[in-house]
Amino acid sequence: MKLIVDSETDKVLGASMCGPDAPEILQGLAVAVKAGATKAQFDSTVGIHPSAAEEFVTMRTLTRRVAAGKPKTNL
């Protein structure tokens, strides 16, 4: 699971997930992304427990930062 967040605006730009029920979970996240939700709004949401979907609202640790204008590639 991944959330892509703009560090300057805190706006959630996208999400990614692989696994069971991923299409249904991501469809719900698509509504939030389309509505312009921020990471702070995700963080303040109570997750449905027990479910994999709750992981998207409990992600608290930055795992990777990509500098603007310098895309990373593995090619």
Side-chain angles (χ1 to χ4, degrees), residues 7-40:
S7 62
E8 292 181 13
T9 65
D10 199 41
K11 187 174 177 181
V12 177
L13 303 175
S16 176
M17 176 183 177
C18 292
D21 301 320
E24 286 78 13
I25 292 169
L26 288 176
Q27 183 62 50
L29 291 178
V31 173
V33 171
K34 181 102 173 148
T38 64
K39 179 66 169 87

Side-chain angles (χ1 to χ4, degrees), residues 4-65:
I4 311 301
V5 180
D6 183 315
S7 62
E8 292 181 13
T9 65
D10 199 41
K11 187 174 177 181
V12 177
L13 303 175
S16 176
M17 176 183 177
C18 292
D21 301 320
E24 286 78 13
I25 292 169
L26 288 176
Q27 183 62 50
L29 291 178
V31 173
V33 171
K34 181 102 173 148
T38 64
K39 179 66 169 87
Q41 290 171 316
F42 271 67
D43 291 346
S44 69
T45 301
V46 176
I48 300 168
H49 182 75
S51 73
E54 73 182 303
E55 297 301 320
F56 282 107
V57 297
T58 58
M59 292 180 178
R60 303 282 194 263
T61 306
L62 174 69
T63 58
R64 182 174 174 199
R65 183 180 301 267

